[in-house]
Each structure stands twice: as C-alpha cells, then as structure tokens.
Amino acid sequence: MALGDDRAMRVGFIGLGIMGSRMAANLARAGHELTVWNRTRAKAQEFATAHGATVADDPAGAAERAEVVVTMVVDGAQVEEVLLGPQGVAEAAPSGLLCVDMSTIAPRDARRIGAALAERDVAFVDAPVTGSSPKAQDGTLTIMAGGTAADFERARPLFDAMGEVVLHVGELGHGQTIKVINNAVAAVNTAVVGQALLTGRAAGVDLEALERVMAAGSGASAMLALKARPMREHDYATLFKLEHMLKDVRLCLDTAADAGASFPFAEQVERILAAATDGGLGERDFAALIEIVEAEQGTRL
Ligand code: NAP
C-alpha cells in the first residue's frame, strides 16, 4: 500500500541485480520516490519504465536529491567505488545523507567505508539480508542492521517495505558479521544435505521418505527445504549465485581468523565451492555444489 506523502522518502537505489531490482520495486510500491543507478544502464531503464523511477547517469546522480541511498552490489570494492569513488555518492551527498549498504561485504570493509563517509558528514548503516529472490520479491527478507540506533530508525520505513524480520543487531559491521556466519552455516548445511541424499541413494532407501522424515524431525533445515529438490533434479536455476556464496564463506573465514576463532566445516565447504567455481558453475545457483560432492563420491543422485 502506498504511503502518505509525509512518510514517503526520496531514495537513491544503486544495484538492480537479482536482489536489488526486487527490493527497489517494493520501495517504489510502498510509495517512496526512487532515483536508480545500475552499472548496466539498460536494466535501470527497464526498472524505471516498470516502476516509475528516475534513472541517474552515475551514483552521484542517484544521491543528489536523496535522503537515503541504498546500495545492493556484490562486494566491498564495489560498495567503496559507488559510494566513495569518482562520480560516487559522496561527491554529491546532501548534508545529512544516510547510506544503507544491503550487499554482503566484509565487516571490516563496512567499518572502513563508514569511517570514510563519516568524515564527509554522511551516515552509514550495514544492513545485509537473508532470503533469496522470492523473499526479495515478496518483501519478506530478514534484514540485520549494524550502526547507531538513530540511523537504524531513519532507515526503518525502507526496511519495513523490503523485509519481514528487521533487526538492529548492534554496532556498524555487526550486520555483516552475523550475515557471513549465517551464510557459512547455509553453505555447510547444503553440502551436508547433499551428502545425506547420496548416502541414502547408496543405501537404497526411498529418497522421498528420507526427505520427509528429515523435514519433520531433527534433520530439518531451511536448506533441506530449499535445496534438496534442486540438487536431486540437478536444476541450478539461479536464486543465489554459487560464486557469491563462495565470497560469503571466505568472508566468514576471514572474520573467524580476525576474531581468533576457527570454523573447520566452513573451510571444507569453501573447498567444495571453489572447485565448483573452477568447474564453471559460479553463476549457477549454489545448489550446484552437489556436482562436486557427487564427483568426490564417484556417483550421482
Ligand atoms: P547480482 O544479480 O549479480 O547483481 C549484482 C549487482 O551489482 C548488479 O546490479 C550489478 O550490475 C552490480 N555490479 C556488479 N559489478 C559492479 C561494479 N563493478 N560496479 C557497480 N555495480 C556492479 O547479485 P544479487 O544476487 O542481486 O546479490 C547482490 C548482493 O546481495 C551480493 O552481495 C549477494 O551476496 C547478496 N545477497 C544475495 C542473495 C540472493 O539470494 N541472490 C541473498 C542475500 C544476499 P550489472 O547489472 O551491471 O551487472
């Protein structure tokens, strides 16, 4: 439902990929006024035609009239480039601008970018998301935000339009820390579900029965629900790119190392995802990791 004019915000939105295009569409549907920029301009134009947004020529153009700029690109280098690089957001930032990065990037990059923006009087919140494109589409993402409570509250109307579970999890960078730990768990769990299915297949049990029992009991997980079927059918239509999952698992391993912790299961799944990327599966859904698990066991589901 559209907001009344008093609650509508002027939003710059940067990055209209699988996730960003759907999240920005929910902001437009909620009545916010969008100026969008995307590296591949045609996608921005297509979005603007469908949702009534303005297309900017560069990231600075998306910022010049904005109260909040949202970024949804791939990694820390890209966030830094669009916010702080040439023709970046900081060059045109109106006084009091708030930047909200919803990409998944290294926690230490989020802190560094936040400090650089603070020097230019621009506020920053890291607010990564979980839930793949269907939840981005429905506006039911889980959003975990790090930053000050005041900045979180400023962004909350936007979060409410994009998410269902919206949490202020702590200081700047803690959103990303929680996100990369979560994604490492999802990747490990997907590989475990694949190995379980292969074990069931080898033992000759009915895989439908195995899946139903696990789903109803202590073997249940979001990855069982979402990835067992694509793995069994070798259907890797992309909801979440495998190369992005590899990025996130590596970010988790770096975060663990920085904290003096170890995460050996994440190390194992990093090896599987790296082998899948080397095998040309990086742009497919991360369910494609089953190809490596199968190759290692010399069998197929
Ligand atoms: P995607 O479909 O690959 O979209 C990436 C976006 O970043 C596109 O708009 C792309 O522009 C832009 N981009 C790429 N390289 C760029 C550069 N050098 N400079 C400026 N913009 C650049 O990825 P996605 O699935 O939407 O994921 C976006 C972020 O959300 C990632 O950090 C990912 O880890 C995270 N995430 C994804 C999911 C998911 O299920 N898909 C879930 C949670 C979090 P072009 O159109 O020009 O390529």
Side-chain angles (χ1 to χ4, degrees):
M1 183 186 297
L3 297 167
D5 282 345
D6 55 328
R7 290 177 54 212
M9 296 172 88
R10 291 187 308 279
V11 179
F13 201 105
I14 294 175
L16 298 167
I18 293 175
M19 297 296 282
S21 59
R22 292 166 170 84
M23 292 158 65
N26 281 323
L27 293 180
R29 257 178 236 124
H32 299 291
E33 188 190 318
L34 293 192
T35 303
V36 297
W37 181 81
N38 192 67
R39 180 182 60 168
T40 306
R41 191 182 173 93
K43 283 194 209 168
Q45 275 160 340
E46 196 182 314
F47 179 91
T49 305
H51 300 284
T54 303
V55 177
D57 290 334
D58 49 35
E64 58 195 14
R65 289 187 62 252
E67 296 161 85
V68 179
V69 169
V70 177
T71 44
M72 193 56 172
V73 291
V74 177
D75 58 23
Q78 292 176 15
V79 176
E80 189 152 16
E81 178 75 14
V82 298
L83 293 181
L84 293 158
Q87 285 84 51
V89 165
E91 286 192 359
S95 142
L97 180 71
L98 171 65
C99 290
V100 178
D101 178 42
M102 305 190 77
S103 331
T104 304
I105 72 172
R108 61 168 109 93
D109 287 350
R111 286 189 285 270
R112 198 186 60 249
I113 291 166
L117 287 171
E119 282 175 16
R120 299 167 189 228
D121 216 16
V122 174
F124 187 59
V125 166
D126 62 310
V129 306
T130 71
S132 279
S133 60
K135 289 190 169 223
Q137 177 107 20
D138 295 349
T140 56
L141 292 166
T142 294
I143 299 172
M144 60 221 86
T148 69
D151 290 337
F152 173 76
E153 288 306 326
R154 282 172 72 192
R156 191 195 274 275
L158 307 184
F159 293 153
D160 286 342
M162 296 184 278
E164 185 171 61
V165 177
V166 176
L167 295 173
H168 181 213
V169 298
E171 64 191 47
L172 185 65
H174 280 192
Q176 297 294 355
T177 302
I178 287 174
K179 167 66 186 172
V180 298
I181 294 171
N182 174 77
N183 270 28
V185 170
V188 168
N189 189 240
T190 304
V192 167
V193 169
Q195 289 176 353
L197 293 170
L198 279 167
T199 301
R201 163 78 74 222
V205 299
D206 176 1
L207 292 188
E208 288 297 325
L210 176 63
E211 248 190 89
R212 284 187 64 188
V213 168
M214 285 171 66
S218 50
S221 68
M223 293 302 108
L224 175 72
L226 292 174
K227 301 301 176 190
R229 187 205 56 78
M231 288 196 287
R232 286 179 60 191
E233 295 177 1
H234 302 99
D235 169 8
Y236 311 133
T238 308
L239 299 181
F240 183 28
K241 290 176 188 165
L242 189 145
E243 65 192 12
H244 291 175
M245 185 56 104
L246 174 60
K247 160 185 70 86
D248 293 354
V249 171
R250 286 179 170 162
L251 292 177
C252 181
L253 289 170
D254 289 346
T255 302
D258 286 351
S262 70
F263 199 156
F265 286 123
E267 286 169 19
Q268 287 187 37
V269 83
E270 189 272 345
R271 184 185 51 72
I272 292 171
L273 291 166
T277 305
D278 290 346
L281 295 167
E283 301 231 333
R284 314 301 296 279
D285 192 80
F286 70 92
L289 63 76
I290 191 66
E291 295 283 330
I292 303 302
V293 176
E294 289 175 332
E296 286 178 345
Q297 302 197 10
T299 181
R300 299 248 321 152
L301 275 173

